[in-house]
Amino acid sequence: QIVLVSGHLDSWDVGQGAMDDGGGAFISWETLSLVKDLGLRPKRTLRLVLWTGEEQGGVGAEQYYQLHKENISNFDIVMESDEGTFKPVGLGFTGTDEARDIVKEIMTLLLPINVTNIYDAADGTDIDYWMRDGVPGASLRDDISKYFWFHHSHGDTMTVQDPNQMNLCAAVWTVVSYVIADMEEMLPR
């Protein structure tokens, strides 16, 4: 059984792609690193996918889906970060009401960093195939007030990234994915 965390590696051609979507790739990588450094071993596999071809219509995600859809019942949740890594405010979630209630409970663990909101729908080109087939999905929601200042521009460089905000995003990603991966049962569908 698999809990998938992800971001995409390709960037828009005029910028470096540090925010879109190097930040999402980084926090997904950091999730696995933190779990390993803490010596945690969840019941399910935490899988990192660094998508490619997202900016060209999601061709990498489609290929991955085609290769793995026969095992769709083993995918517990698919998570994608693709709206920058500014100060996190919560998660977008797509899934059943029962699954949403569980994720709401998990989000209470993030009260010390004030990131407890659950929004109505997960967004993510790379996880859409899975969510359409009933796999619960989550997307990082953050303060995107400056996102479009840099999105698909020459300004999308590493100087946009704030290490403290990225660490908060990685904390959200790690807590949510680890807890789901370590639950007795998969999220209800």
Side-chain angles (χ1 to χ4, degrees):
Q1 296 173 342
I2 297 161
V3 169
L4 186 145
V5 294
S6 69
H8 68 86
L9 289 174
D10 60 326
S11 64
W12 198 245
D13 61 346
V14 297
Q16 295 174 358
M19 179 198 60
D20 182 19
D21 184 38
F26 171 82
I27 68 166
S28 297
W29 182 279
E30 185 68 3
T31 292
L32 273 60
S33 180
L34 287 168
V35 168
K36 183 178 181 194
D37 289 349
L38 292 170
L40 300 173
R41 298 204 37 111
K43 294 174 177 66
R44 286 171 201 78
T45 298
L46 279 172
R47 180 177 290 172
L48 167 66
V49 177
L50 300 176
W51 309 105
T52 189
E54 190 270 353
E55 298 288 3
Q56 292 77 36
V59 294
E62 181 179 7
Q63 180 68 24
Y64 183 86
Y65 172 78
Q66 294 300 330
L67 289 171
H68 297 281
K69 68 181 180 181
E70 66 187 31
N71 296 316
I72 198 164
S73 64
N74 288 328
F75 283 78
D76 195 352
I77 188 170
V78 290
M79 299 170 59
E80 179 178 4
S81 173
D82 185 23
E83 290 184 348
T85 44
F86 298 104
K87 184 181 182 304
V89 296
L91 283 183
F93 181 77
T94 296
T96 64
D97 290 341
E98 296 86 359
R100 178 178 296 281
D101 289 342
I102 292 167
V103 173
K104 280 182 185 176
E105 185 69 23
I106 293 168
M107 292 301 286
T108 65
L109 297 170
L110 295 163
L111 185 59
I113 61 171
N114 197 28
V115 183
T116 58
N117 294 325
I118 300 285
Y119 298 91
D120 283 339
D123 297 318
T125 302
D126 297 310
I127 61 173
D128 279 344
Y129 293 102
W130 301 94
M131 292 188 301
R132 280 195 294 254
D133 281 352
V135 176
S139 57
L140 181 68
R141 295 290 173 91
D142 54 4
D143 175 7
I144 63 167
S145 61
K146 296 180 183 176
Y147 181 71
F148 290 102
W149 293 8
F150 309 104
H151 183 252
H152 291 190
S153 77
H154 290 287
D156 188 5
T157 65
M158 285 304 295
T159 58
V160 175
Q161 302 290 355
D162 178 321
N164 294 322
Q165 291 179 358
M166 288 183 72
N167 284 340
L168 291 172
C169 293
V172 172
W173 227 222
T174 303
V175 167
V176 172
S177 64
Y178 174 77
V179 171
I180 291 172
D182 201 47
M183 294 187 326
E184 289 301 321
E185 303 290 330
M186 289 176 64
L187 290 172
R189 295 199 185 174

